[in-house]
Amino acid sequence: MIDWGRFLCGTGDLAASNTICRIVGSADPSDLNAPNIAIGDLAGNQTVTRTVTNVGIKRSTYTAHIAAPAGVTATVSPTTLTVAPGRTASYKVTFTRTTAAFGSYVTGALTWADGTHSVRSQLVIRPVGVRAPATVTGSGASGSTTVSVKSGFTGTLSTSVAGFVRRPNARPR
């Protein structure tokens, strides 16, 4: 339940001022521990973690097989999971955009197999040139804030300010 609350706060479906968000916090929606992996704003690279549970009656060893989305590299760590009955194990997948077009979705799959069973997770990735908040707000006549921006490419990122901005040395009227 906490994971879902953090997910809803992270997507903006619940306002940061909502009681649930104040209690459980917020999380990147890509970090929801669901079977499939979706990243709607891959800027450069991103790592997601998933935790799985062995619901079988014997210890199983699964090996990862990945079909990376076109134009994206995907690296799984560890590549083998050995899990006892009723126990859990975690793995990470790191995605890095190489040639995928910005703003377009690309798909792939991650399959865990033990020779008898296989479990497949869909991978859906949308690379972006820049990941930044759509808006930044403040209150009061002066102040500053930090804005987290991540570039999805190498090179220079030029920025500009739009909206109501007080110019340095301007006199209020």
Side-chain angles (χ1 to χ4, degrees), residues 105-144:
Y105 289 91
V106 290
T107 61
L110 168 60
T111 303
W112 289 96
D114 71 351
T116 304
H117 307 99
S118 63
V119 180
R120 181 179 164 137
S121 297
Q122 302 299 317
L123 309 174
V124 180
I125 311 295
R126 180 178 164 262
V128 294
V130 175
R131 180 174 48 212
T135 60
V136 178
T137 59
S139 62
S142 65
S144 63

Side-chain angles (χ1 to χ4, degrees), residues 4 12 25-26 61 78 87 90-91 102 104 106 134 146:
W4 280 106
S26 167
T61 298
R87 306 297 280 184
S90 296
Y91 65 92
F102 292 130
S104 296
V106 290
T146 300

